[in-house]
């Protein structure tokens, strides 16, 4: 088959599959988060952790619950890594070095899954399964709970209660992530992914050498890695590794898992605010940005600018031949448009503009469709900012979903918007100002700079993918990127929940002909425009010195 | 007691108002000193965006002194001009208010007052009471003063005794005198206005130094201007964007140093050296990126919005009220005077069977000739217009020629007991009046009322007032001629205005004391969305509260003391200047013209204010795109030649590109001052259509305009020295 046609079919069938599950799955998640009953295992968990499941929390309590839970998670994960040699199922690995352990603990708790280590030669089964995989579930559930709390802020009125974090966390994990992960893992095993406890095996290679190959429960790790938009691979090669991603159709299925929750949450949002059109509008904004991005990355890779790609006939460097250029490009776009950060190809080897586009995807704040939960709340913040700027132009105090966007609301939205650019720009500048940190770059010139810019963009946006090339398991990078991940995750969450609290307390404004309709194509275009322009204005100078300087001829 | 006239007002023409509209160039000039004064950082700190520009200007001045070049000095000059232009915008907006205040001040002079000693309302004749002559500023609340014809009223208060015509032109600009009398809703008088006839006793209600004129002066001058909620919110967003762009420029430096170091062969330029981007260029980039346009014009927009209200003779007590006006969801409008003309008018003559309409009209007109009530006049006018009957032709003298004097006519005036009026001619008696009364008169005179009862019921059902006309020929029996349909006449154009309101998403509710049937008919005719019939002040209050509970903002007008609680409860309460001081105190706006229809204009001004802010914010942000296309290649194309592709405007040189962007950034402020003061054009439309229009003008236009502007500036300045 013609590769272009194959690429289009690949993307088209993904869109179709997502469209098919959109309504039923969105409705299911709506029922999960709004239902009043508790399942038996849930009741057991609530009793275990001493939570009154039927009481609700104010925004401040909700925030404190998240922070407390995350702190405990970081400590547990750090401890597991540092004590690895003394615990079971360690495959004989040493304890993880302190700065790497801190970085990894932060990375998995913040849903970033930046990996400053090689999975198969660092982490034993216990850390992988009881540490990293658990965080893959719960960090995703945390993101979803924050999004749901924000949506409750819009949907509710004259209340200071946003729901119960522990209930949202448990339900997200038990009712949404676990069942899908279970089925998904079976599908992946059928696709040829391994699922064993065979330890490290030494095999003879064709060339006559010897190679150590680590076996493990890969399929079960892989499914939540994608579904929870985590991205931390069992193997260092991540989804490029044949045991993590065997064939073109497992590749397709993994992209589907990455996108399914973030896109479908817009349906849940529409149902919760009792106006499905609002959900469709947000979906349309996400889809417009996503389709444009996927197209541009594909074009950049297929048109293969650059000396070597032109000589070869395709930008094949760093891409698996079993996937091909287009399916790699699509995976790359999907993983950076969400906060996944799994890779099935080497982003450092993308064409300058293709790689720049991957960075731009993350710079958008990962909202198209973004991480599980994080994408929805990020996009709603952008909608609030768009409504504020443009809403004034209809001659009313701006309002979104019946809630006024006043000084308090715009303060939290603006603070949210400030966090990631500040982390990315300050982090990048700090690294570039120091000759020692510059030494970590693999390349020189604009490409070397792109590696640094990509690293901080990825960490601050909780993506976790690496441009690679750059050597990051140094104490400085582990610390700096770790801080970027912590602040990039929790500061926005605090601002989102503060915003939710202030929205929930409001009395809704009734809709009239004077109200800006937020479900029409006009509004979709507006949010897309505001998002792209604000992000471009923030990052254009940095991008100019990196991918643009390299890519424009 | 002999009285001499105190406080003769100065001879002067009625106060001329400072007109809105295009910017007066003279005002620009006279505001310049103020603009320079505002350069003081202590003043500027209220505007963080412009404060940053000023700090940048100071910094570049230092750099230019240290390392002078034509380029850096040009940038320095234009950065200072940017701050100056922003100050100018504010100064011009304030200047208009100051001019207004000056004309008000001329009317405010210290007056002497005749304070009554130990007098209470209802006591002795005030002219006989003992008086102290005191200065106006010494009057306290609760003092009683007597004001004679030709005197200025010394302070705000309510008339407690007497009736007088008062010239209020000092406040309203309207030269026709108005009547002020004790009791009722026409009792409030304003200090500084002049009594033209008679004398009145005024109970002072103002505190010393807080007269209406004092407040008016403070308001139009913007002396105690507070930032409005929406302005605060916008300032937060602008501050956030300023922080982002500050970060963008500051963090650019290590990146630039690295880029330069990677290309050691590239010589230093005015824009980039081994130490990174030069200070002058970095500040230029920052100033171009931060939202200076809206930052410069934001306060001017707010001041001008208040000023536009003043042009329409409305005083808003706070900017918050003006903003709330834009958000109003429900308008409560009094029927009488707002929706309908003050009085009922004849709209139809319905004869009973066997009578010609013309005969009915003739009888109706004849009987109304001496009727000076508005209803009576309207009958005369209606019969003239509809049946071509002219007054003079009706009155036929003995000669058979029309005469001017109705010599043989004997008019029977209306009385509350008979409830009818009429005329007796030599050959017949004509009576018109309330249906029951006239029908009884007909029956008493041996006549038959025929089907007139049905006609009467029909008119009542349609919300009108029926007047029955009957005649009694000399020596005959009485007969009913027909019915006059009196109805409330809805002011011309009201339906269209309510239609506009609906398009803007505003619900109109008519408030009336009429019965529900009448109210419904008028409501339907006027096209209001809802009505409140047989309304008491309590009903009005309850309605406002109900609307507000649903999250709606309510605007209303009122003048009476019993309106005061509702005026205070409403989000926008417009008190009529003719109203009581209680009402004026309770509302958050006062309409000096006392025209209740103006509420609609107030709403539009509120909307226009918000739209202007949003439009210029959008424009300001959209402008940044073009500036990047000018400055990024200018900074970095020497290092990475590929970036020259971003120079899509093909600007002549890096220096000219950067200077052009800075000049455009400053010039656009001056260019937009008129728009900020006038407000963007507002046509009542649905939100969606308004947005489409404003996005295409200020969003898309804001992206395109600077590309053209910067290119044009570059075409000129490239010939300056040091630009190549």
């Amino acid at each position: 088959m013609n590769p272009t046609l194959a690429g289009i079919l690949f993307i088209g069938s993904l869109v179709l599959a997502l469209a098919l599950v959109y309504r039923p799955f969105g409705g299911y998640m709506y029922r999960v988060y709004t239902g009043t009953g508790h399942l038996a295992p849930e009741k057991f968990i609530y009793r275990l952790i001493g939570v009154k499941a039927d009481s609700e929390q104010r925004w401040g309590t909700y925030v404190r619950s998240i922070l407390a839970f995350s702190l405990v998670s970081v400590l547990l994960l750090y401890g597991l890594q540092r004590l690895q040699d003394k615990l079971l199922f360690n495959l004989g690995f040493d304890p993880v070095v302190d700065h790497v352990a801190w970085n990894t603990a932060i990375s998995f708790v913040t849903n970033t899954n930046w990996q400053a280590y090689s999975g198969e030669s660092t982490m034993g089964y216990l850390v992988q399964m009881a540490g990293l995989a658990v965080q893959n579930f719960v960090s995703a559930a945390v993101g979803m709970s924050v999004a749901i709390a924000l949506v409750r802020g819009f949907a509710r009125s004259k209340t200071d209660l946003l729901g119960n974090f522990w209930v949202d966390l448990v339900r997200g994990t038990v009712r949404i992530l676990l069942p899908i992960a279970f089925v998904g893992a079976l599908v992946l095993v059928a696709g040829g992914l391994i699922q064993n406890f065979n330890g490290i095996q030494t095999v003879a290679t064709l060339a006559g050498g010897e190679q150590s190959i680590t076996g493990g429960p890969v399929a079960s790790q892989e499914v939540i890695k994608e579904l929870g938009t985590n991205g931390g691979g069992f193997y260092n090669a991540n989804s490029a590794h044949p045991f993590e991603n065997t064939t073109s159709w497992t590749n397709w299925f993994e992209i589907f898992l990455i996108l399914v929750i973030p896109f479908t949450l817009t349906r849940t949002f529409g149902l919760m605010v009792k106006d499905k059109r609002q959900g469709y509008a947000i979906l349309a904004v996400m889809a417009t940005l996503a389709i444009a991005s996927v197209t541009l990355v594909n074009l950049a890779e297929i048109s293969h600018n650059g000396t070597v790609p032109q000589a070869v006939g395709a930008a094949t460097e760093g891409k698996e031949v079993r996937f091909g250029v287009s399916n790699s490009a699509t995976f790359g776009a999907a993983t950076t448009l969400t906060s996944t950060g799994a890779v099935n190809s080497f982003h450092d080897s993308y064409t300058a503009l293709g790689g720049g586009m991957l960075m731009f995807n993350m710079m958008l704040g990962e909202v198209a469709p973004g991480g599980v939960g994080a994408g929805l709340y990020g996009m709603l913040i952008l909608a609030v900012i768009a409504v504020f700027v443009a809403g004034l132009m209809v001659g009313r105090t701006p309002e979104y979903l019946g809630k006024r966007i006043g000084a308090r609301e715009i303060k939290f939205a603006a603070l949210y918007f400030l966090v990631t650019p500040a982390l990315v720009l300050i982090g990048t500048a700090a690294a570039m100002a120091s000759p020692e940190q510059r030494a970590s770059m693999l390349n020189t010139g604009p490409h070397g700079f792109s590696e640094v810019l990509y690293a901080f963009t990825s960490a601050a946006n909780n993506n976790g993918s690496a441009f690679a090339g750059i050597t990051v398991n140094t104490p400085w990078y582990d610390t700096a990127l770790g801080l970027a991940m912590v602040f990039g995750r929790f500061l926005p969450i605090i601002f989102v929940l503060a915003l939710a609290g202030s929205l929930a307390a409001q009395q809704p404004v009734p809709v009239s002909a004077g109200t800006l309709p937020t479900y029409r194509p006009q509004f979709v275009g507006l949010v897309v425009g505001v998002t792209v322009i604000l992000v471009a204005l923030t990052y254009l100078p940095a991008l100019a010195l990196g991918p643009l300087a390299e890519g424009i001829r | 007691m002999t009285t001499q006239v105190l406080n003769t007002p100065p001879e002067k023409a009625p106060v001329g108002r400072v007109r809105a509209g295009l910017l007066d160039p003279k005002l620009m000039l006279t505001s310049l000193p103020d603009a320079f004064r505002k350069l003081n950082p202590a003043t500027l700190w209220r505007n963080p965006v412009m404060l940053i520009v000023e700090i940048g200007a100071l910094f570049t001045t230092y750099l230019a002194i240290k390392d002078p070049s034509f380029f850096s000095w040009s940038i320095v000059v234009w950065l200072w001009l940017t701050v100056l232009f922003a100050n100018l915008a504010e100064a011009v907006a304030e200047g208009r208010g100051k001019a207004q205040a000056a004309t008000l001040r001329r009317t405010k002079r210290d007056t002497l007052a005749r304070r009554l000693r130990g007098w209470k309302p209802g006591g002795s004749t005030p002219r006989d009471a003992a008086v102290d002559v005191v200065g106006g500023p010494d009057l306290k609340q609760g003092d009683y003063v007597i004001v004679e014809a030709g005197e200025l009223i010394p302070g705000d208060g309510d008339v407690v005794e007497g009736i007088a015509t008062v010239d209020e032109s000092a406040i309203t600009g309207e030269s026709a005198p108005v009547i002020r009398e004790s009791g009722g809703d026409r009792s409030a008088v304003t200090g500084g206005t002049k009594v033209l006839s008679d004398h009145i006793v005024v109970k002072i209600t103002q505190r010393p130094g807080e007269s209406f004129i004092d407040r008016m002066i403070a308001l139009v001058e913007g002396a105690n201007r507070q930032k409005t909620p929406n302005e605060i919110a916008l300032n937060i967003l602008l501050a956030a964007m300023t922080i982002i762009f500050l970060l963008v420029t500051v963090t650019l430096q290590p990146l630039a140093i690295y880029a330069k170091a990677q290309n050691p062969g590239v010589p230093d330029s005015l824009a980039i050296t081994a130490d990174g981007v030069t200070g002058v260029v970095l500040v230029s980039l920052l100033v171009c990126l931060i939202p200076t346009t809206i930052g410069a014009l934001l306060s001017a927009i707010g001041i001008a919005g208040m000023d536009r209200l003043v042009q329409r003779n409305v005083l808003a007590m706070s900017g918050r009220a003006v903003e709330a006006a834009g958000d109003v969801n429900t308008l409560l409008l009094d029927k009488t005077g707002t929706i309908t003309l003050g009085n009922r008018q004849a709209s139809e003559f319905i004869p009973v069977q066997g009578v010609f309409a013309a005969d009915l009209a003739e009888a109706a007109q004849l009987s109304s000739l001496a009727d000076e009530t508005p209803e009576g006049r309207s009958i005369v006018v209606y019969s003239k217009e509809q049946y071509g009957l002219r007054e003079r032709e009706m009155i036929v003298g003995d000669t058979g020629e029309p005469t001017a004097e109705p010599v043989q006519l004997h008019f029977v005036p209306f009385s509350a007991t008979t409830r009818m009026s009429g005329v007796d001619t030599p050959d017949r008696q004509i009576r018109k009046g309330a249906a029951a009364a006239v029908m009884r008169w007909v029956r008493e005179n041996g006549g038959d009322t025929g089907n007139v009862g049905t006609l009467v019921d029909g008119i009542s059902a349609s919300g009108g007032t029926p007047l029955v006309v009957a005649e009694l020929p000399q020596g005959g029996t009485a007969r009913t001629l027909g019915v006059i349909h009196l109805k409330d006449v809805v002011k011309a154009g009201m339906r269209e205005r309510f239609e506009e309101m609906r398009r803007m998403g505003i619900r109109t509710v008519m408030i009336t004391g009429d019965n529900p049937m009448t109210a419904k008919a008028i409501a339907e005719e006027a096209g209001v969305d809802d009505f409140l019939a047989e309304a008491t002040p309590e009903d009005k209050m309850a309605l406002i509260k109900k609307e507000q509970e649903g999250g709606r903002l309510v605007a209303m007008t009122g003048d009476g003391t019993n309106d005061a609680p509702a005026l205070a409860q409403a989000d926008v309460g417009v008190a009529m200047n003719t109203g009581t001081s209680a009402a004026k105190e309770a509302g958050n706006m006062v309409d000096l013209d006392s025209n209740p229809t103006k509420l609609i204009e107030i709403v539009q001004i509120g909307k226009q204010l918000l739209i202007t802010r949003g439009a210029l914010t959008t424009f300001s942000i959209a402008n940044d795109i073009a500036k990047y296309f000018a400055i990024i290649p200018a900074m970095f194309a020497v290092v990475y030649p590929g970036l020259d592709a971003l120079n899509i405007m093909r600007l002549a040189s890096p220096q000219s590109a950067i200077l052009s962007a800075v000049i455009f950034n400053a010039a656009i402020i001056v260019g937009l001052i008129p728009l900020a003061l006038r407000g963007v054009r507002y046509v009542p439309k649905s939100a969606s259509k308004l947005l489409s229009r404003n996005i295409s003008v200020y969003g898309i236009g804001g992206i395109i305009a600077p590309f053209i502007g910067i290119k044009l500036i570059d075409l000129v300045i490239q010939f300056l020295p040091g630009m190549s």
Side-chain angles (χ1 to χ4, degrees), chain A residues 158 385 388-399 404-408 410-411 414-415 417-418 421-423 425-426 428-430 432-433 438 441 443-449 507-510 512-517 520 522-523 526 533-534 536-542 544-546 548-550 552-553, chain B residues 229-230 232-234 236-237 240-241 243-245 247-248 251-252 254-256 258-259 262 285 289 323 326-329 502-506 548-553 606-608 610-611 613-615 617-618 621 624-625 628-629 632 636 640 642-643 645-646 682 685-692 694-695 698 703:
Chain A
K158 292 195 196 166
I385 293 176
F388 183 79
V389 175
L392 278 176
M393 285 196 288
V394 306
R396 286 179 64 86
T397 298
E399 58 209 51
R404 275 172 213 280
I405 311 301
R408 198 178 149 76
I410 202 67
K411 180 173 78 191
L415 282 171
F417 188 78
L418 263 175
L423 293 173
L425 293 173
I426 294 173
T428 307
M432 294 306 292
R438 281 206 301 270
M441 291 189 263
N443 290 286
T444 57
H447 200 83
F449 166 66
Q507 149 102 45
V509 184
S512 74
T515 316
L516 169 69
R520 300 206 179 146
Q522 178 192 50
F523 181 74
L526 184 72
I533 288 177
L534 283 183
L537 291 180
T538 309
Y539 293 105
L540 205 57
L545 292 176
L548 292 181
E550 187 190 354
I552 301 181
R553 288 282 175 269
Chain B
N230 181 259
I232 293 169
L234 192 50
I236 291 173
L237 184 74
M241 299 200 60
I243 294 171
I244 289 184
F245 289 128
L247 277 172
V248 167
T251 58
L252 188 57
L255 281 48
Y258 168 79
Q262 291 287 306
L285 175 66
L289 291 181
E323 228 166 58
D327 283 344
V328 158
N329 303 84
R502 228 183 326 278
R503 277 202 298 276
M504 288 154 62
I506 295 172
Q548 287 174 335
E549 267 161 30
R552 296 182 182 83
L553 263 58
K607 288 197 175 294
Q608 194 187 28
L610 293 175
I611 294 175
R613 265 187 216 142
T617 307
T618 309
I621 297 171
D624 281 0
I625 297 172
Y628 265 139
F629 277 92
I632 287 182
F636 298 126
Y640 296 127
L643 291 180
L646 293 182
Y682 175 69
K685 273 188 205 164
S686 71
S688 183
K689 288 198 181 112
L690 265 179
L691 185 64
S692 293
N694 289 329
I695 290 256
Y698 299 98
I703 293 175

Side-chain angles (χ1 to χ4, degrees), chain B residues 425-472:
Chain B
T425 67
D427 55 348
R428 61 173 173 169
Q429 295 177 11
I430 302 171
R431 292 291 179 274
K432 78 163 201 280
V438 177
M439 281 152 78
R440 195 174 58 242
W441 180 78
V442 170
R443 281 193 293 270
E444 279 167 6
N445 290 292
D448 177 21
T449 53
N451 69 337
V452 76
T454 336
L455 297 178
V456 166
D457 291 346
I459 291 170
S460 296
S462 74
T465 308
L467 281 187
V468 175
V469 183
E471 67 168 359
L472 175 62

Side-chain angles (χ1 to χ4, degrees), chain A residues 265-355:
Chain A
L265 268 177
T266 58
R267 173 74 175 180
T268 312
F269 158 70
L271 289 169
M272 284 181 76
V273 298
K274 303 203 164 42
D275 186 353
K276 288 173 211 149
R277 299 172 303 178
Q278 305 289 353
Y280 287 129
I282 294 296
L283 171 69
V285 176
M286 290 176 168
T288 309
L289 290 169
I291 289 172
S293 167
V294 169
T295 311
L296 287 174
V297 177
N298 267 289
L299 281 179
E301 295 312 295
I302 291 168
S303 67
H304 52 78
N305 275 322
T307 320
V308 178
Q310 258 160 11
V312 181
T316 48
E317 181 197 309
K319 297 191 178 74
E320 289 293 310
V321 283
R322 67 180 187 281
F323 304 135
V325 173
S326 170
N327 292 1
S328 300
T330 305
F331 192 102
T335 193
T336 48
L337 282 166
T338 60
S339 76
T340 313
V343 290
N344 78 348
S345 50
F346 208 44
H347 291 184
D348 197 17
S349 303
Y350 274 45
T351 58
L353 294 181

Side-chain angles (χ1 to χ4, degrees), chain A residues 220-304:
Chain A
S220 58
Q221 301 271 63
E222 184 71 16
V223 65
I224 189 60
K225 173 187 112 183
E226 315 294 8
L227 181 66
T229 61
N230 293 289
F234 191 91
Y235 297 103
N236 189 37
N238 210 301
S239 292
H241 196 289
F243 288 176
E244 281 200 27
N245 193 1
T246 44
T247 60
S248 188
W249 79 259
T250 57
N251 191 45
W252 182 97
F253 185 64
E254 286 179 13
I255 298 176
F256 173 80
L257 287 175
I258 288 173
L259 298 176
V260 68
I261 292 180
F263 270 126
T264 313
L265 268 177
T266 58
R267 173 74 175 180
T268 312
F269 158 70
L271 289 169
M272 284 181 76
V273 298
K274 303 203 164 42
D275 186 353
K276 288 173 211 149
R277 299 172 303 178
Q278 305 289 353
Y280 287 129
I282 294 296
L283 171 69
V285 176
M286 290 176 168
T288 309
L289 290 169
I291 289 172
S293 167
V294 169
T295 311
L296 287 174
V297 177
N298 267 289
L299 281 179
E301 295 312 295
I302 291 168
S303 67
H304 52 78

